[in-house]
């Protein structure tokens, strides 16, 4: 460049104007050369006149504005997609863009083309990720209930909406262009997209709830219906020429190439990398991007959007880890968080309220009424079909609202139709506004009406204390995150002393954070996908427990499950399984992990949230397990180093009684030393008045055990306040392998005076929180009794036969126990 040009005043990187096209006036953009990067303000160069600085400004403003609007809309439970569309509305011609000076500076014609192109690339990758998270086999798992509801959710609005157009057209008269645009809008309003529904469910934390699973299957059925209708409509409206036949056959050929060529290549490369010694990158990232580009380019060459090929390539690939997880981790950051907001905001930038209000010839009110009637028919059709399938009225209404929620797929379809002139600007504006309005109201009402925890409220008493009093079978649900949780859980099971006359049923639930797939998963272990890496870890967990079952064959029976869901809502799976399996006690790990020297090695905040949610909604008693198995070599390898000494800290209250009931069961084990430390205040020495007689009876029973058995000890500690209580607890040292304690106590008790002012982990209670200190080296089980048990009925469906009626030497398995619910059995003769 000539130096003399540095002093010249900058011109815009592009100019635009209107020219006469073959059918109407069209905009033409003239892009200037050498206007990519600015020379800087010190050289009297305006950065906003150049393409790259303008692009960076546009992206920054869109992302910041969308985040701010999302914060404002969060109390109304609105999603990020709505915030991004509203960002475009605010920045576009409806509000700020009404100012011509601002519009020419922030969104000139050339700048708009550049950000549209870049955001479309991001959207193509995002749609590929959405397809990648879809498990195509889920459609086969949809039952007749989901098929009926999903079909009705599409058929009702589509048919009644088009009948409404025909009726209005014949009675009042509608121009042909209005009929065409409205028919397209009706087909869009009737649709419910599977990726959008799962996204909404995940954002509302009900993806793995009973309603969420039903909505997932219904949305898939509804989307399949829309695909068939769209295909039939295209075949009917296409010109009956060889060209259209070639185009259709080429699209089908592209799908076949994607499934039978691209998919095997990517799967083979992934398996090859997984088996290699160097596992730093187990996904063939660059080959995937290359095939993604080829599929997208092929789609464009055949007359469909580039996102078509990208989406179906994603659908063809296996969801979940390792492929789905790794690709999502690498691509979502820039595709979904950087470029996608720009793509969505552009739909808002194209929305102009003034064009709607100033229009008098295009029947605005009539189009909006037809759209609202269509959504109303969709709501009524879904609710009616749900009611026919005997769904509760509250769940039926919430499902209908969920099926009315729309998002990225519908916005994308509307933009494509506008670019293809299937819908005009006026209809486009109305569709976008209606999507925002209907989706916003539907999301808010679902949050207001649906409470997943209501399902987990048990109608019967499910506590350890009730199990002991009425000779019921003990049923445990063990939550595990990894293999490291297994040894201490095995020790806990062994300490509960399962026998043939007093057997234990337990259920293991491997908790996996949902990554790389759209729908939640709760399934028995034997039904898991063998190619999923989570299956391998679950198999290690199951094998460890099966080895333990061999030792107690006939006295211990198990079922093994895996739950993959967002950590924010995985407590739904824990409570669902506990309710369905009539568990007595849920045992879940503490959110802090301890290193071998006793210090805190890792803190997992999401696990703490899970524990709090389970404590709040569990249908039975809950125990939080503070595992210090690795401390000072206490980690056992299954049964080689089991617990020898267990202590119970008793202060008083329902939770302490529940923990003592479990301790009483442990006391029955012959080779286990069990000590109960009863904290009492001086003033209570002469007062034997207990708030609950069961508590008094438990203490009396334990005293009797201590008098008759040498390994059972009852210790009474007389303390004046919380300071002396702390001193007694601190003196425990390393004498015990496990300490049991109740979560909640009487906070007015003098024994706790001075200890209730501050607590780091209130979910553990006062004493439990104290025992999390690195000064202690024993494991801790903090027990919380089922809430509201005074009003619950008795459930004796798992009552055990009396021991005195059992024949001596009878080694047979309990009849109720062996055939129950498909428990796994261990046959030592075949191993």
């Amino acid at each position: 460049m000539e130096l003399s040009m540095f002093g010249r005043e900058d011109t815009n990187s592009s100019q635009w104007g209107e020219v006469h096209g073959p059918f109407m006036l069209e905009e033409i953009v003239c892009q200037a050369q050498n206007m990519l990067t600015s020379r800087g303000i010190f050289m009297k160069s305006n950065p906003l006149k150049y393409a790259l600085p303008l692009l960076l400004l546009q992206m920054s403003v869109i992302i910041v504005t969308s985040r701010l609007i999302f914060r404002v809309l969060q109390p109304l439970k609105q999603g990020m997609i709505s915030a991004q569309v509203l960002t475009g509305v605010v920045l576009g011609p409806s509000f700020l863009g009404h100012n011509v000076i601002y519009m020419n500076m922030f969104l000139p014609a050339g700048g708009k083309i550049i950000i549209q192109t870049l955001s479309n690339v991001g959207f193509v990758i995002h749609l590929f990720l959405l397809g990648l998270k879809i498990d195509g086999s889920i459609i086969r798992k949809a039952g007749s209930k989901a098929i009926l509801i999903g079909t009705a959710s599409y058929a009702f609005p589509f048919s009644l909406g088009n009948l409404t157009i025909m009726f209005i057209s014949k009675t009042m008269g509608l121009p042909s262009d209005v009929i065409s645009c409205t028919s397209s809008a009706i087909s869009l309003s009737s649709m419910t997209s599977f990726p959008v529904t799962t996204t909404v469910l995940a954002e509302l934390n009900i993806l793995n709830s009973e309603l969420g699973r039903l909505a997932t299957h219904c949305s898939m059925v509804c989307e399949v219906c829309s695909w068939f209708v769209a295909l039939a409509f295209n075949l009917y409206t296409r010109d009956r020429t060889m060209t259209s036949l070639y185009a259709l056959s080429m699209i089908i050929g592209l799908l076949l190439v994607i499934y039978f060529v691209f998919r095997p290549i990517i799967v083979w490369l992934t398996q090859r990398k997984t088996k290699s010694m160097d596992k730093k990158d187990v996904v063939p990232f660059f080959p995937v991007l290359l095939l993604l580009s080829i599929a997208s380019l092929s789609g464009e060459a055949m007359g469909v959007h580039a996102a078509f090929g990208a989406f179906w390539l994603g659908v063809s690939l296996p969801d979940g880890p390792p492929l789905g997880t790794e690709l999502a981790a690498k691509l979502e950051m820039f595709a979904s968080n950087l470029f996608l907001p720009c793509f969505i905001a552009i739909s808002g930038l194209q929305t102009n309220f003034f064009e709607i209000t100033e229009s008098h010839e295009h029947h605005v009110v009539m189009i909006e009424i037809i759209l609202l009637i269509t959504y109303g028919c969709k709501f009524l059709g879904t609710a009616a079909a749900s009611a026919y399938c005997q769904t509760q009225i509250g769940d039926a209404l919430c499902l209908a609202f969920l099926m009315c929620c729309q998002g990225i797929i519908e916005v994308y379809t509307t933009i494509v139709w506008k670019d293809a002139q299937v819908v005009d600007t006026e209809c486009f504006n109305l569709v976008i506004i209606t999507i925002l309005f209907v989706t916003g109201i539907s999301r808010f009402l679902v949050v207001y009406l649906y409470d997943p925890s209501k399902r987990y409220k048990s109608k019967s008493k499910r506590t350890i204390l009730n199990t002991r009093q009425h000779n019921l079978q003990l049923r445990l649900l063990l939550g595990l995150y990894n293999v490291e949780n297994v040894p201490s859980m095995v020790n806990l099971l062994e300490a509960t002393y399962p026998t043939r006359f007093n057997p234990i049923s337990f259920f293991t639930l491997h908790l996996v954070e949902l990554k790389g797939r759209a729908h939640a998963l709760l399934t028995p272990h034997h039904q898991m996908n063998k190619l999923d890496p989570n299956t391998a870890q679950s198999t290690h967990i199951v094998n460890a427990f099966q080895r333990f079952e061999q030792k107690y064959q006939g006295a211990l029976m198990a079922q093994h499950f895996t739950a993959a869901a967002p950590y924010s809502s995985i407590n739904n799976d824990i409570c669902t399984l506990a309710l369905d399996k009539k568990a007595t006690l849920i045992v879940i790990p503490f959110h802090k992990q301890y290193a071998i020297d006793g210090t805190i090695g890792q803190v997992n905040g999401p696990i703490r949230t899970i524990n709090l949610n389970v404590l709040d909604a569990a249908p039975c008693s809950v125990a939080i397990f503070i595992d210090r198995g690795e401390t000072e070599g206490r980690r056992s390898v299954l049964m080689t180093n089991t617990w020898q000494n267990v202590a119970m800290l008793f202060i008083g209250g329902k939770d302490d009684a529940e923990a003592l009931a479990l301790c009483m069961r442990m006391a029955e084990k012959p080779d286990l030393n069990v000590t109960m430390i009863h904290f009492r205040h001086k003033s209570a020495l002469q007062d034997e008045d207990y708030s609950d007689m069961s508590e008094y009876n438990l203490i009396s029973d334990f005293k009797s055990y201590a008098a008759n058995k040498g390994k059972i000890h009852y210790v009474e500690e007389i303390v004046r306040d919380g300071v002396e209580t702390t001193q007694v607890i601190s003196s425990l040292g390393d004498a015990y392998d496990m300490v049991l304690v109740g979560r909640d106590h009487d906070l007015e008790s003098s024994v706790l005076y001075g200890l209730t002012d501050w607590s780091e982990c209130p979910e553990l209670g006062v004493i439990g929180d104290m025992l999390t200190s690195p000064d202690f080296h024993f494991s801790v089980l903090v027990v919380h009794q089922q809430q509201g048990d005074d009003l619950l009925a008795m459930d004796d469906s798992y009552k055990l036969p009396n021991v005195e009626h059992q024949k001596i030497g009878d080694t047979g398995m309990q009849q109720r126990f062996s055939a129950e619910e498909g428990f796994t059995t261990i046959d030592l003769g075949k191993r």
Side-chain angles (χ1 to χ4, degrees), residues 248-265:
L248 182 61
S249 61
M250 291 294 288
I251 293 174
I252 296 175
L254 173 62
L255 295 177
L256 294 176
V257 169
I258 287 175
Y259 190 80
F260 292 106
V261 179
F262 291 178
R263 180 183 185 276
I265 291 175

Side-chain angles (χ1 to χ4, degrees), residues 1-39:
M1 294 182 64
E2 297 181 4
L3 294 177
S4 60
M5 294 188 64
F6 284 168
R8 294 178 55 187
E9 183 179 356
D10 291 333
T11 59
N12 285 327
S13 61
S14 61
Q15 301 291 332
W16 68 279
E18 292 185 342
V19 297
H20 288 280
F23 304 105
M24 59 181 178
L25 286 175
E26 296 180 352
E27 291 183 356
I28 184 171
V29 178
C30 298
Q31 189 74 27
Q33 290 184 348
N34 302 323
M35 296 291 289
L36 181 62
T37 57
S38 169
R39 295 186 296 272

Side-chain angles (χ1 to χ4, degrees), residues 300-365:
E300 283 285 335
M302 296 173 189
V304 294
H305 196 277
F308 175 85
F311 176 76
W312 285 107
L313 177 62
V315 172
S316 68
L317 298 177
D319 65 323
L323 196 61
T325 304
E326 293 294 328
L327 287 176
K330 292 182 177 181
L331 296 176
E332 275 188 346
M333 182 57 67
F334 70 90
S336 302
N337 298 332
L338 187 62
F339 296 142
L340 184 65
C342 300
F343 180 85
I344 303 299
I346 288 174
S347 66
L349 288 168
Q350 297 177 2
T351 305
N352 191 344
F353 292 158
F354 295 100
E355 289 188 7
I356 298 176
T357 57
E358 294 173 359
S359 175
H360 297 282
E361 58 179 354
H362 279 176
H363 303 83
V364 174
V365 177

Side-chain angles (χ1 to χ4, degrees), residues 800-816:
L800 298 172
N802 293 327
V803 176
E804 57 266 25
H805 298 302
Q806 190 80 20
K807 295 180 180 179
I808 298 176
D810 184 4
T811 59
M813 206 178 297
Q814 300 294 343
Q815 181 181 2
R816 176 73 182 165

Side-chain angles (χ1 to χ4, degrees), residues 154 158 162 183-184 186-188 190-191 221-238 248 251 304 308 312 409 413 417 422:
Y154 183 81
F158 183 79
N162 283 288
S183 298
S184 301
I186 285 175
S187 63
L188 182 70
S190 305
M191 201 173 91
V221 174
C222 185
E223 187 167 15
V224 170
C225 291
S226 65
W227 292 342
F228 280 118
V229 171
L231 178 61
F233 181 77
N234 288 335
L235 291 176
Y236 178 77
T237 56
R238 277 184 180 273
L248 182 61
I251 293 174
V304 294
F308 175 85
W312 285 107
I409 302 297
T413 306
W417 283 355
V422 175

Side-chain angles (χ1 to χ4, degrees), residues 370-389:
I370 293 173
L371 288 176
L372 293 178
I373 289 176
T374 303
Y375 279 106
C377 293
K378 186 175 184 65
F379 175 84
L380 293 176
T382 306
S386 302
Y388 177 79
C389 295

Side-chain angles (χ1 to χ4, degrees), residues 52-69:
L52 181 60
L54 180 61
L55 174 65
L56 297 176
L57 175 67
Q58 291 169 337
M59 294 176 62
S60 302
V61 171
I62 288 173
I63 292 172
V64 171
T65 307
S66 63
R67 291 288 176 177
L68 291 175
I69 294 178

